[in-house]
Every structure is written in structure tokens, then in C-alpha cells.
Amino acid sequence: QVQLLESGGGLVQAGGSLRLSCAASGRTFTTYAMGWFRQAPGKEREFVAASTRSGSNTAYADAVKGRFTISRDNAKNTLYLQMNSLKPEDTAVYYCTADVVPRTRVVITPGAYDYWGQGTQVTVSS
């Protein structure tokens, strides 16, 4: 079992920055890959970024590439998402998620992930 708790969301003006955190507990943190997804009102949940267990390999959605950075601190059992140059279209609920299946690369489909946090709201005003 993995428990995930996101924090760091809020209201920010376009062009601003936020850092989301996801505190993990339960299963040993270094045994699973992790990712961030988001869901805007009326839209499907979409992939944002993901990291392998070690953090050495990452992947990003085209919409956030160059603006968002995913990282993990395995000593603190915490996943981060640094979001810069935020745009109104980044407004969504952001979810932290864990993939416990051993893989050699990250996956971007939500169905591959086993555990989800409750989400944190990010609102970007224009």
C-alpha cells in the first residue's frame, strides 16, 4: 500500500510559479515510479510528468515541457513538481500517483498507476 498526500496548490497569476509536493508513506519509496496528472473541469485526466524510481529518467507532456520539472527526494519520501511560467490553461486539479510495477521506463497512461492522492487545486489567473 502507498499513501500519497499532495500540497502546494493555490492561486497564482499567469507567468508565476508554484511548487507542488507529494508526501508518500507505506511501501518503500524507492520501489515505485511516480507521476503527476491533472484534470480540468469537463476534461479527461491527462499526463503531466513522471519519474522512474531512482529519478534518473523523466518524461513530460509536450504542453509543460520546458516549464515544469519533476523531481523526487528519496531521503524525504517526497515527489515535487516545480511549475514555472504558468498559464491559465494549466488550471486543474493536480494528482500525484505511484506505479509499483517494476519497469525500465516511465509510463504516461493513468491506467498504469496504482495509487493516487486526493489532488490539489492549481488556479492560474490571466
Side-chain angles (χ1 to χ4, degrees), residues 79-90:
L79 179 74
Y80 301 100
L81 184 68
Q82 178 66 44
M83 306 185 295
N84 299 328
S85 303
L86 283 161
K87 304 175 181 180
E89 51 263 44
D90 294 319

Side-chain angles (χ1 to χ4, degrees), residues 46-114:
E46 65 175 2
F47 170 75
V48 175
S51 168
T52 53
R53 288 171 288 175
S54 66
S56 59
N57 291 314
T58 58
Y60 296 90
D62 288 342
V64 307
K65 202 171 293 184
R67 300 188 296 123
F68 291 11
T69 302
I70 188 172
S71 62
R72 59 190 294 164
D73 186 334
N74 288 344
K76 295 183 178 179
N77 293 354
T78 303
L79 179 74
Y80 301 100
L81 184 68
Q82 178 66 44
M83 306 185 295
N84 299 328
S85 303
L86 283 161
K87 304 175 181 180
E89 51 263 44
D90 294 319
T91 295
V93 176
Y94 283 70
Y95 297 92
C96 171
T97 185
D99 171 17
V100 300
V101 175
R103 306 181 199 272
T104 57
R105 61 179 63 185
V106 296
V107 292
I108 66 172
T109 53
Y113 288 83
D114 307 286

